[in-house]
């Protein structure tokens, strides 16, 4: 045996029980938020081709999905609506009888303990697929804000527990906070998509939500993937304006950003494990190239380790099953 001094780190890895008691990061079912895509059509449950296992679901079949969510112990769902009607200003987003509003009422009436997070954006409801009002082929920031406020208030009236604005308009948090407060919803928190990059990882989501832009792209309002300091400015603005949670999106390829946000701001940080990140793993697993369970749990743990308090993920149901085994 060598006489040279060295640390015996392996002592704390010697057995599963030993590894378990010294584990620093833990993933719990209550950390997970499950996204659901709700259709206005009746009797529908349509698998998204680019997202194996993820479906567009009509309200009359939403109970099937929610029963499983509750049985697995998942505490929150994030709702996206797919309306029958779209127009230039996304009017179905702020229709009090719109698809998200109907779905929210259904869930709160039948599953009152499940937290409903309402995605607050216009892209699923506009015929051009952008997140705001278009003027001269450009998204007009200030003309979009009142419509986003109307959407948030309508969602809160329907019973949403958390408003999650994802539009990336400047000033959206302060405008929505003021609108909610004036409508008597001062206790409804805002889960801001504070840091949302113009990422190539969103492709499958746009299939699921029917929100692909009909022209141009979203680079004038979503962030450049090359920028780190800009993320801090965006997060700071949203905190000052009244955000209660900060989302970092995407998650897997922006763990450095998540850690900086966690270190700097004392509010819950939410990782969004986006559709492209989901679909790549699913494709590899279906081809037998990887162990899906081990890969997914490692990915989700990396997000917790980087500072996420909550994780929005399409793997929520699978992960809940694996965690509870």
């Amino acid at each position: 045996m060598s006489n040279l001094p060295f640390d015996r780190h392996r002592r704390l890895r010697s057995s599963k029980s030993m590894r378990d008691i010294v584990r620093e990061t833990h993933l719990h079912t209550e950390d997970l938020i499950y996204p659901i895509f709700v259709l206005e059509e009746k009797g529908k449950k349509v698998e998204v081709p680019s997202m194996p296992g993820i479906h567009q679901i009509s309200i009359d079949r939403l109970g099937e999905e929610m029963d499983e969510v509750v049985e697995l112990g998942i505490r929150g769902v994030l709702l996206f609506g797919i309306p029958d009607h779209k127009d230039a200003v996304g009017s179905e987003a702020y229709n009090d009888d719109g698809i998200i509003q109907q779905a929210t009422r259904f869930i709160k009436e039948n599953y009152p303990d499940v937290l409903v997070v309402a995605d607050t954006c216009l892209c699923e409801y506009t015929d051009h697929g952008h997140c705001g009002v278009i003027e001269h082929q450009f998204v007009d920031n200030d003309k979009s804000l009142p419509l986003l406020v109307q959407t948030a208030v309508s969602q809160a009236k329907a019973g949403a527990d958390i408003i999650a604005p994802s539009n990336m308009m400047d000033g959206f948090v302060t405008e929505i906070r003021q609108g909610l407060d004036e409508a008597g919803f001062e206790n409804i928190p805002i889960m801001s998509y504070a840091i949302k990059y113009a990422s190539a990882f969103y492709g499958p989501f746009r299939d699921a939500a029917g929100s692909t832009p009909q022209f141009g792209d979203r680079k004038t309002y979503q962030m450049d993937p090359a920028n780190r300091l800009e993320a801090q400015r965006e997060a700071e603005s949203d905190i000052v304006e009244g955000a209660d949670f900060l989302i970092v999106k995407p998650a897997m390829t922006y763990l450095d950003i998540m850690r900086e946000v966690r270190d700097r701001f004392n509010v819950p940080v939410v990782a969004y494990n986006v559709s492209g990140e989901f679909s790549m793993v699913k494709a590899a697993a279906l081809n037998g190239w990887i162990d899906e369970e081990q890969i997914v749990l490692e990915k989700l743990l990396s997000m917790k380790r980087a500072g996420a308090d909550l994780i929005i993920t399409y793997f929520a149901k699978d992960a809940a099953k694996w965690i509870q085994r």
Side-chain angles (χ1 to χ4, degrees):
M1 181 179 292
S2 170
N3 291 322
L4 293 175
F6 56 84
D7 294 324
R8 292 197 177 273
H9 299 291
R10 291 181 59 189
R11 290 171 182 156
L12 301 185
R13 306 172 194 150
S14 59
S15 68
K16 183 179 185 302
S17 295
M18 184 69 74
R19 293 190 296 273
D20 285 348
I21 68 167
V22 299
R23 181 163 292 146
E24 300 172 27
T25 306
H26 297 270
L27 182 66
H28 303 289
T29 303
E30 54 265 32
D31 299 332
L32 307 174
I33 297 173
Y34 184 57
I36 299 177
F37 299 95
V38 188
L39 286 165
E40 278 199 89
E41 294 182 74
K42 291 186 177 180
K44 295 283 188 176
K45 186 174 182 179
V46 182
E47 187 172 45
V48 180
S50 55
M51 299 179 71
I54 301 300
H55 297 82
Q56 299 170 328
I57 302 172
S58 56
I59 288 180
D60 61 333
R61 297 192 63 180
L62 186 54
E64 301 171 23
E65 189 83 318
M66 291 305 303
D67 286 345
E68 187 176 8
V69 165
V70 170
E71 183 179 351
L72 290 170
I74 296 169
R75 305 288 181 83
V77 295
L78 172 60
L79 298 183
F80 296 97
I82 306 167
D84 287 340
H85 170 74
K86 300 187 179 191
D87 57 33
V89 293
S91 59
E92 284 299 300
Y94 41 91
N95 177 355
D96 285 346
D97 200 34
I99 185 65
I100 287 294
Q101 290 80 354
Q102 292 181 50
T104 298
R105 286 193 291 267
F106 172 83
I107 293 172
K108 296 313 295 183
E109 288 170 6
N110 295 282
Y111 309 90
D113 293 333
V114 176
L115 289 172
V116 172
V117 185
D119 179 75
T120 306
C121 197
L122 301 180
C123 62
E124 298 128 80
Y125 307 92
T126 55
D127 52 16
H128 47 74
H130 279 283
C131 302
V133 176
I134 299 297
E135 291 286 342
H136 309 295
Q137 298 294 101
F138 189 79
V139 176
D140 189 303
N141 191 93
D142 293 5
K143 288 184 178 179
S144 302
L145 291 175
L147 303 185
L148 294 166
V149 172
Q150 288 184 55
T151 301
V153 170
S154 178
Q155 293 168 340
K157 284 166 58 179
D161 298 287
I162 299 172
I163 298 300
S166 60
N167 52 87
M168 287 297 285
M169 297 296 110
D170 291 337
F172 70 98
V173 173
T174 193
E175 293 286 331
I176 289 173
R177 181 72 273 159
Q178 181 177 343
L180 289 171
D181 290 353
E182 290 177 352
F185 297 109
E186 60 274 3
N187 290 322
I188 299 294
I190 294 175
M191 182 182 284
S192 171
Y193 286 69
I195 299 168
K196 183 178 180 181
Y197 284 91
S199 173
F201 285 94
Y202 302 152
F205 171 89
R206 291 170 183 168
D207 291 341
S211 61
T212 302
Q214 298 303 300
F215 63 89
D217 53 41
R218 295 181 173 137
K219 293 180 180 179
T220 65
Y221 46 104
Q222 295 178 1
M223 290 174 50
D224 185 339
N227 292 354
R228 179 178 65 85
L229 297 178
E230 183 183 5
Q232 303 304 309
R233 296 196 298 271
E234 286 279 0
E236 184 173 21
S237 292
D238 285 9
I239 288 291
V240 170
E241 293 176 15
D244 301 283
F245 303 78
L246 297 175
I247 296 177
V248 178
K249 181 183 180 184
M252 187 172 69
T253 43
Y254 295 87
L255 296 179
D256 58 324
I257 305 300
M258 199 176 307
R259 169 44 58 190
E260 291 185 339
V261 170
R262 169 72 289 153
D263 288 345
R264 185 172 174 190
F265 301 104
N266 189 26
V267 298
V269 175
V270 184
Y272 198 138
N273 179 208
V274 300
S275 60
E277 297 168 344
F278 170 86
S279 295
M280 289 191 303
V281 171
K282 278 291 184 183
L286 288 170
N287 277 287
W289 297 336
I290 61 170
D291 182 321
E292 181 179 1
E293 177 180 345
Q294 294 301 316
I295 289 285
V296 170
L297 292 179
E298 185 175 336
K299 275 179 45 177
L300 298 180
L301 272 172
S302 77
M303 297 167 201
K304 289 292 299 290
R305 192 182 63 243
D309 299 287
L310 300 169
I311 303 172
I312 300 168
T313 178
Y314 304 97
F315 285 114
K317 293 195 298 185
D318 290 334
K321 295 172 187 175
W322 296 328
I323 290 168
Q324 294 166 24
R325 278 215 298 247

